[in-house]
Amino acid sequence: MPVVAADAHLVRGMLAFAQGDWTEAVHWLTALGAPAPECTRMPLAAATAGTLIRLALVRGDSPAAAEQAGAAWTAVSDKGIWAWAAELAPWAVEAVARAGDVAAARRMAAEFVQGLQGQDAPSARAAVVWSRAALEECEGRHREAAGSYRKAAAAYRELPRPYAWALTTEGAARCSLTGGAGTSGAAGDRSDGAAGADGGRAQAVASLRRCVEQYTELGAVYDAARARTLLRSHQPPQARRPGRPAFDDRLSPREREVAELAARGLMNREIAVVLHLSPRTVEQHVARAIRKTGALSRRDLLRTEKNAGPP
């Protein structure tokens, strides 16, 4: 049953990616029986390519992401059924743009729009808006990108697709905080521009908190860690009483984030990318987590931390 097997490989691979187990994700998405244009249905192959592109992006390998995007895009274009690109387009457009070929990314986005004309494909149409948002963000047009991400999030909420909603809502908040654009209507409702900006920033931070909650509920460990890191960078540090250890022999929130990703199989340099830390800092957090939990290995951290319970 090759089609069913391909479905299973795709689902396992996408779940592993969201959970932060990138080695497992690569295994399921590239192993024998995984979806590929030459051996299975194009919708599965396109979705698989989208996840592999995203994996290359988060690892900082823009050339590999762009190469994968180009090959997958050509395969979908040859078939001419653009609704199949719903899980591919946002990541493909972003990959090509981040690799430096913004003109090609624009052509891809335009081709996607044209290919969907007259089609009733809600997921693909939401992906059109998401692709536009990703392109605008790569071009540094953060205000426009924030608005496009919000439109995509609204579409995914209606479908409903909570994971896509969280990703696009996070994108809107990220661009709002980067470009000074508040959520829809926030600045226009205030006569004082500074107050409006503060209100928009507060709403963006609140949106990030909702994203963290949604990711956590879905079990998307990697995404929750990334969103928490972004949230932390836009919140004032919590004061702690002087002269008193904050956590003693328990894991700090940051150590727990690092431990969870390490237990999922991420290397120190990959964790550093996710959490915006130096590899050396990650190494120190992992060492402390192993010492505090008594874990015998990185993989054992997840089990020992669960048994330890919350601080």
Side-chain angles (χ1 to χ4, degrees):
M1 301 177 69
V3 174
V4 175
D7 274 323
H9 276 75
L10 173 59
V11 171
R12 291 291 298 270
M14 294 180 78
L15 282 173
F17 176 86
Q19 291 168 345
D21 195 340
W22 294 350
T23 301
E24 190 76 2
V26 170
H27 166 74
W28 286 111
L29 295 172
T30 61
L32 181 64
E38 65 272 15
C39 66
T40 190
R41 297 178 298 167
M42 180 54 64
L44 293 178
T48 297
T51 305
L52 289 172
I53 292 166
R54 190 182 175 202
L55 180 58
L57 284 172
V58 300
R59 283 176 161 169
D61 194 348
S62 294
E67 182 179 358
Q68 178 87 34
W73 199 262
T74 298
V76 174
S77 180
D78 288 344
K79 295 293 184 181
I81 304 178
W82 287 100
W84 291 347
E87 309 306 316
L88 167 67
W91 308 116
V93 169
E94 179 178 346
V96 173
R98 291 199 183 281
D101 198 347
V102 175
R106 289 173 182 165
R107 288 194 297 271
M108 291 167 69
E111 187 175 15
F112 191 27
V113 171
Q114 184 177 2
L116 287 173
Q117 287 184 357
Q119 295 189 34
D120 182 15
S123 288
R125 294 201 174 278
V128 164
V129 186
W130 187 352
S131 301
R132 184 185 307 129
L135 181 56
E136 290 166 344
E137 184 178 9
C138 290
E139 292 176 323
R141 296 186 288 138
H142 295 107
R143 286 181 176 271
E144 294 94 328
S148 295
Y149 275 123
R150 285 194 292 270
K151 290 178 183 177
Y156 284 119
R157 183 183 288 278
E158 288 295 320
L159 283 172
R161 290 185 53 187
Y163 185 55
W165 170 85
L167 288 170
T168 47
T169 298
E170 181 191 351
R174 180 177 62 246
C175 290
S176 294
L177 293 167
T178 301
T183 52
S184 180
D189 292 341
R190 307 286 188 91
S191 57
D192 181 354
D198 289 343
R201 186 181 186 85
Q203 290 187 50
V205 169
S207 292
L208 274 177
R209 290 197 190 98
R210 289 194 293 272
C211 289
V212 171
E213 292 169 359
Q214 182 68 85
Y215 289 140
T216 302
E217 182 179 339
L218 292 171
V221 174
Y222 154 64
D223 299 286
R226 183 193 60 248
R228 277 196 299 268
T229 297
L230 180 60
L231 181 61
R232 187 181 292 112
S233 69
H234 290 281
Q235 288 183 314
Q238 293 182 348
R240 86 180 183 196
R241 296 169 60 182
R244 179 180 177 182
F247 300 99
D248 300 317
D249 289 331
R250 297 169 297 175
L251 296 188
S252 70
R254 178 64 92 186
E255 288 167 350
R256 185 174 296 106
E257 287 178 344
V258 170
E260 192 164 39
L261 293 173
R264 294 288 183 181
L266 268 69
M267 304 297 291
N268 287 352
R269 64 180 180 274
E270 295 172 335
I271 299 172
V273 170
V274 174
L275 300 181
H276 301 287
L277 301 171
S278 71
R280 175 59 177 164
T281 299
V282 172
E283 181 183 347
Q284 292 171 343
H285 283 315
V286 171
R288 282 196 293 268
I290 289 176
R291 175 179 59 79
K292 288 182 179 182
T293 62
L296 299 178
S297 67
R298 293 166 69 98
R299 285 285 187 176
D300 197 41
L301 277 168
L302 194 61
R303 182 181 62 80
T304 55
E305 171 60 9
K306 285 181 177 178
N307 290 341

